[in-house]
Amino acid sequence: MRIRCPLCGERDRREYYYQGDALALNRPDADTSDHEWDDYVHNRINPVGQTRDLWQHSGGCGAWLIVSRDTVSHEVFSVELAKARQEGTQ
Amino acid sequence: MMKFSAFRILKEGLPGNKGWTPHWRNPDPKPAYDAIIIGGGGHGLSTAYYLAKNHGFTNIAVLEKGWLGGGNIGRNTTIVRANYFLPGNSEFYSHSLKLWENLEQELNYNAMLSQRGILSLLHSDGQFYTAARRGNSMLIQGDDARLIHRDELREMVPYLDYEQSRFPIKGALFHPRGGTARHDAVAWGYARGADQRGVDLIQNCEVTGIDIENGKVTGVQTTRGTIKAPKVAIVVAGRSSQVAAMAGMRLPIETHVLQAFVTEGLKPIVDHVISFGMGHFYISQSDKGGLVFGGDLDFYASYAQRGNLPTVEEVMRAGMTLMPALGKAKVLRSWGGVMDMSADGSPVIDKTQTKGLFLNCGWCYGGFKAVPASGVATAHLMATGRHHQMADMYRLDRFQTGYRLMDEEASGSQHNLH
Ligand SMILES: Cc1cc2nc3c(=O)[nH]c(=O)nc-3n(C[C@H](O)[C@H](O)[C@H](O)COP(=O)(O)OP(=O)(O)OC[C@H]3O[C@@H](n4cnc5c(N)ncnc54)[C@H](O)[C@@H]3O)c2cc1C
Ligand SMILES: [Zn+2]
């Protein structure tokens, strides 16, 4: 599997650290219900097919990336900077 | 019904082994059962067996989308052990190992249990202290454990590289009753035992929906039609999220690939199971002579049932660090299985919000050793509505309350780090 970092270009999967589902970016408010925290910290859709997850280009520029890919074929559809997504510039 | 014995093998062997018959029937599904188990892996089959044997449920079915034993039960590296530390896990795996020790008599089936002992390697004083603590908790649980220092270890396993610069080997925590078993035989033994007691084992039958009326389960939709039952258990390992979603649930599970490798058959060299935690590597030798080894997950969510090269390289590298002689052996095959990684690394055996619907999942890469106790516990829960004492802490709500999460490796709530 190869992932194209928007800053560095296409690199081997080994340069990246996998964090998990990109829902990690949607941290709930501190006083939200146990149920919502449970969904945020533990519960996952865990799809067969297209998924969005969070990777860090740890062996490169260090940027956090949102990678959209297929969990069966390992095809990578798109990669975007998590920062850009959070700042709403993309 | 055919009973296996040494005499029987002789008797069948003389006329050229032509008298053996299939070990179980291959029935079509009935329209309704008293209970349905989704998933014909180790846990589903043992659950069916103990439902029939311990609780008298004989009008039940196991629904398997492929063939019996085609999932992780037939893909694992067969290590059985009771060296867990945390309350909840400790008593469960201890109970399971005792069931293993009597399994062949119980099933009249050769599961090839081999208690060759497990050596978990240690490299520093700090590791010795934590291993002493783990070993003590194993002893308190009634299992066996012994700290071994370098000289003794060297006599037991002389072929390791003790002087390697990165992780020089200082000793090991020895668990003599741990070992291996024949994975397929465990599935087949339980399948045969369940079938003998009247359980319908239905293959090529994928569950595609779970029928729920007024908060109560009424049956399932399958590729072979609707099947009714007042009790349904989801026991599908790596596919848990998909099947649970059919009942509107989202689980604390992420599915990851774990790979394993086997070499050509060699003369006996590795007499134990050796676990090299620092290198994320473990190895044993099968009775056929193949060196069976593996390492870590591929590290990202995947259903591919095959692995990627980076992990292959990493495992080989760790193997060569530990045991340079390994480089002379030819790898024959590698494969992968899809693991139901739970958020705290421990499993779930519980009821669900839907009445009559039960959940067995989250076995990560350690569910083979759990097969006997998990079957007993899941059957007990389905039949009596109460949690079995030795599996009492495998509750789903621990993730919501945060009370009694069982994170054996203290790695936090990231699914791939357990
Ligand atoms: C490479 C590898 C090495 C391992 N090593 C060890 C080890 O050394 N020791 C250890 O203790 N554990 C080990 N494990 C883990 C262990 O194999 C698993 O935890 C355990 O087998 C999972 O339970 P199971 O046997 O019920 O799963 P499976 O055999 O996977 O059974 C689940 C079944 O459900 C079926 N299914 C899925 N969806 C549906 C559906 N919709 N309808 C009908 N059926 C369905 C599947 O086809 C499958 O047959 C290893 C796993 C792997 C992959
Ligand atoms: Zn980069």
Side-chain angles (χ1 to χ4, degrees):
Chain A
M1 193 158 97
R2 292 174 73 78
I3 296 174
R4 182 179 295 278
C5 171
L7 302 178
C8 311
E10 190 180 284
R11 299 293 175 84
D12 189 276
R13 168 257 172 279
R14 269 168 279 213
E15 289 191 12
Y16 299 86
Y17 175 76
Y18 170 85
Q19 167 80 39
D21 195 300
L23 78 81
L25 295 170
N26 312 330
R27 192 180 169 85
D29 290 336
D31 53 2
T32 201
S33 69
D34 288 357
H35 184 71
E36 274 171 72
W37 272 104
D38 189 24
D39 274 348
Y40 173 71
V41 180
H42 305 118
N43 295 333
R44 298 292 177 260
I45 293 175
N46 191 22
V48 178
Q50 190 160 348
T51 187
R52 272 174 88 242
D53 34 41
L54 207 55
W55 298 67
Q56 186 184 25
H57 195 188
S58 54
C61 64
W64 281 96
L65 309 172
I66 301 172
V67 178
S68 168
R69 60 181 183 95
D70 191 301
T71 56
V72 181
S73 67
H74 295 164
E75 182 184 353
V76 177
F77 304 118
S78 70
V79 184
E80 55 179 316
L81 290 172
K83 189 158 180 277
R85 165 59 63 106
Q86 281 203 306
E87 288 170 355
T89 54
Q90 260 185 20
Chain B
M1 186 51 227
M2 185 169 284
K3 191 164 163 24
F4 294 118
S5 62
F7 171 73
R8 181 87 204 205
I9 290 172
L10 274 176
K11 189 173 160 230
E12 295 294 340
L14 288 175
N17 285 311
K18 294 204 182 85
W20 300 107
T21 53
H23 289 192
W24 53 81
R25 298 164 295 132
N26 195 16
D28 289 325
K30 291 191 234 164
Y33 290 96
D34 295 339
I36 283 173
I37 293 148
I38 310 174
H43 292 250
L45 293 168
S46 66
T47 298
Y49 174 82
Y50 291 113
L51 261 177
K53 184 185 173 225
N54 294 354
H55 304 283
F57 275 60
T58 49
N59 182 32
I60 65 176
V62 175
L63 309 181
E64 165 56 46
K65 76 172 167 153
W67 65 97
L68 297 182
N72 294 324
I73 189 68
R75 293 165 185 265
N76 68 79
T77 44
T78 77
I79 298 166
V80 301
R81 56 188 166 90
N83 58 357
Y84 283 71
F85 177 69
L86 293 177
N89 282 333
S90 186
E91 63 264 31
F92 175 82
Y93 288 103
S94 177
H95 190 96
S96 204
L97 187 55
K98 290 185 192 111
L99 292 171
W100 276 107
E101 286 170 336
N102 192 42
L103 193 68
E104 288 154 339
Q105 292 73 14
E106 165 88 29
L107 298 176
N108 175 235
Y109 208 88
N110 185 4
M112 295 168 71
L113 178 71
S114 159
Q115 293 179 291
R116 54 187 69 183
I118 296 183
L119 290 160
S120 304
L121 301 180
L122 306 171
H123 313 275
S124 68
D125 289 347
Q127 277 195 310
F128 260 93
Y129 295 138
T130 31
R133 186 163 174 245
R134 178 176 293 270
N136 283 336
S137 87
M138 290 158 68
L139 293 174
I140 290 167
Q141 183 61 51
D143 296 313
D144 60 346
R146 188 158 69 81
L147 274 178
I148 287 184
H149 287 268
R150 183 174 161 129
D151 291 344
E152 186 184 349
L153 185 64
R154 244 190 155 129
E155 292 208 345
M156 289 169 77
V157 285
Y159 48 83
L160 303 181
D161 183 357
Y162 285 78
E163 311 301 340
Q164 41 160 308
S165 55
R166 187 64 185 88
F167 296 112
I169 300 165
K170 299 279 174 62
L173 181 62
F174 188 38
H175 173 37
R177 279 169 61 228
T180 60
R182 171 81 200 277
H183 47 3
D184 297 319
V186 174
W188 298 335
Y190 275 118
R192 173 171 165 270
D195 176 83
Q196 273 175 20
R197 287 171 172 78
V199 177
D200 279 359
L201 307 173
I202 298 164
Q203 308 182 59
N204 298 310
C205 180
E206 178 171 356
V207 171
T208 54
I210 295 178
D211 296 334
I212 299 169
E213 277 169 35
N214 304 321
K216 217 183 152 311
V217 75
T218 58
V220 294
Q221 298 296 321
T222 79
T223 47
R224 298 178 70 177
T226 304
I227 308 177
K228 296 212 160 300
K231 291 184 183 189
V232 174
I234 301 172
V235 196
V236 293
R239 292 281 173 162
S240 296
S241 299
Q242 282 69 53
V243 180
M246 295 171 194
M249 294 190 330
R250 191 184 292 187
L251 299 180
I253 300 275
E254 200 172 82
T255 295
H256 286 261
V257 169
L258 182 70
Q259 302 193 56
F261 309 84
V262 64
T263 69
E264 59 194 330
L266 300 165
K267 287 186 180 170
I269 169 167
V270 181
D271 299 332
H272 309 85
V273 177
I274 298 176
S275 155
F276 174 36
M278 294 314 288
H280 303 276
F281 178 86
Y282 61 95
I283 187 164
S284 67
Q285 189 165 17
S286 78
D287 291 351
K288 265 196 298 191
L291 297 173
V292 181
F293 57 94
D296 253 337
L297 297 173
D298 273 25
F299 262 119
Y300 48 90
S302 171
Y303 287 88
Q305 276 205 103
R306 59 173 161 73
N308 268 331
L309 271 178
T311 305
V312 177
E313 281 182 3
E314 231 164 88
V315 171
M316 300 294 167
R317 210 178 286 140
M320 289 296 291
T321 304
L322 178 71
M323 186 180 161
L326 199 57
K328 297 275 184 197
K330 292 190 182 67
V331 172
L332 214 59
R333 270 180 299 127
S334 74
W335 64 94
V338 289
M339 313 282 74
D340 38 339
M341 300 301 298
S342 67
D344 67 352
S346 293
V348 170
I349 300 177
D350 207 349
K351 302 176 196 175
T352 66
Q353 302 269 343
T354 303
K355 222 169 156 256
L357 184 66
F358 301 85
L359 180 66
N360 170 315
C361 68
W363 295 100
C364 300
Y365 35 70
F368 178 64
K369 69 180 86 68
V371 162
S374 167
V376 168
T378 310
H380 186 273
L381 183 64
M382 290 177 76
T384 67
R386 291 187 314 271
H387 290 83
H388 195 290
Q389 202 184 336
M390 51 82 181
D392 195 27
M393 285 171 66
Y394 289 155
R395 309 288 180 109
L396 186 56
D397 69 358
R398 70 179 186 268
F399 296 98
Q400 186 164 333
T401 62
Y403 179 57
R404 286 185 162 166
L405 285 168
M406 279 170 275
D407 182 352
E408 277 278 334
E409 294 175 12
S411 51
S413 58
Q414 194 173 320
H415 303 74
N416 61 337
L417 294 186
H418 297 285

